[in-house]
Each structure stands twice: as C-alpha cells, then as structure tokens.
C-alpha cells in the first residue's frame, strides 16, 4: 500500500524541480544513495587520518574519536568551500553548489559543515533532497 502525499493525490513535483534543476543528468539533485556513499568514504578517510595521527601522537581512543570528527568537519568545510566537493563526493560524481550560482565560500561552507557534524540537521531532508545544512547554506548537492 502506498503512503504519503502522493498516495493522497498531491503532486509534489520531481526533486529539484522547484529549484530550477533538471530532472536527470548533470545538475540534477543528487539522490540519497550517492550522498550516503560519499559520506561513508569521507568518514573512512577521516578515520584513516585520525588513526595515523593517533599512532604518531599516542592518542587515547576518545581523543582519536574526537579528532576524527574534527578532521571530517575540516575536510567538509575546506573542500566544499573552495572546490565544491569532498573526496567522497567526487568519487560518487556529486558536488555542492549554491542556488545563486556563486561559489559556496568559506563562511557558508563553515555553516554547512558545522550543521553536518551535528548530524541531526543533515538527517532532516526536504523534497528536493536538501538537508537543513544545505538549506541554511543555500546549497544543493547535484550530480556532476
């Protein structure tokens, strides 16, 4: 049995349609699957870097965990701000763009990264596949 707004006869349109994005192909809203794979790749890379640093500096497991989150946040902030993508996003063929066409920039990138590492805002998505972190930074994740 189908549920939700569509089952009630409400047409919500395609993801990204109200943002002026194409329905498919380059520039269309990236789906959940690619975004989650990119997140796991970026997290795994952060774990790897934190693990190497933990060995070098003899960190405790709790220090390593904290630094994994810091490294993840810095990676998400700097890479998205400057080039619009992280390593995981690039491997998955997606990138972050601002709705007004300008670069994300360090300020909006920082706001987006901080909300991302808090986790909850990133898990609340709208019909355009935008988490609260994307809405706050006026960004959307699109297919390359």
């Amino acid at each position: 049995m189908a549920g939700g707004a569509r089952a009630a006869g409400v047409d919500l349109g395609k993801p990204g349609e109200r943002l002026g994005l194409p329905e498919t192909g380059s520039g269309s809203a990236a789906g959940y699957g690619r975004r989650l794979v990119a997140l796991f790749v970026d997290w795994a890379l952060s774990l790897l870097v934190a693990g190497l640093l933990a060995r070098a500096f003899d960190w405790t497991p709790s220090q390593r965990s904290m630094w994994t989150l810091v490294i993840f946040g810095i990676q998400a902030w700097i890479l998205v701000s400057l080039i619009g993508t992280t390593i995981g996003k690039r491997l998955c063929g997606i990138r972050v763009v601002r709705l007004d066409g300008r670069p994300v920039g360090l300020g909006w990138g920082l706001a987006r990264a901080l909300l991302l590492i808090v986790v909850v805002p990133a898990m609340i998505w709208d019909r355009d596949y935008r988490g609260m972190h994307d809405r706050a930074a006026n960004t959307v994740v699109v297919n390359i």
Side-chain angles (χ1 to χ4, degrees):
M1 173 180 264
R6 280 194 170 69
V10 177
D11 181 16
L12 298 176
K14 302 291 183 202
E17 180 179 32
R18 65 189 176 136
L19 301 174
L21 302 178
E23 186 176 333
T24 60
S26 181
S28 63
Y32 302 121
R34 285 183 180 198
R35 291 182 71 160
L36 288 174
V37 170
L39 176 71
F40 287 125
V41 169
D42 290 335
W43 187 257
L45 290 171
S46 299
L47 276 169
L48 177 66
V49 171
L52 293 172
L53 291 172
R55 284 186 187 194
F57 295 110
D58 198 30
W59 289 341
T60 65
S62 62
Q63 288 174 312
R64 178 180 161 215
S65 294
M66 191 247 338
W67 279 103
T68 300
L69 185 61
V70 169
I71 292 164
F72 176 81
I74 291 171
Q75 173 193 206
W77 171 41
I78 298 297
L79 293 178
V80 167
S81 295
L82 299 179
I83 61 173
T85 189
T86 62
I87 296 166
K89 284 179 177 53
R90 182 68 184 151
L91 291 173
C92 291
I94 58 179
R95 65 188 171 103
V96 180
V97 297
R98 284 193 40 112
L99 295 178
D100 59 12
R102 295 184 308 184
V104 175
L106 293 172
W108 288 116
L110 179 61
R112 186 181 186 282
L114 289 174
L115 288 171
L116 180 62
I117 64 173
V118 173
V119 176
V120 174
M123 296 193 61
I124 301 173
W125 294 41
D126 66 13
R127 67 184 182 197
D128 295 312
Y129 300 151
R130 294 172 68 209
M132 288 177 64
H133 63 303
D134 283 316
R135 292 179 60 91
N138 201 27
T139 60
V140 63
V141 179
V142 296
N143 294 307
I144 296 176

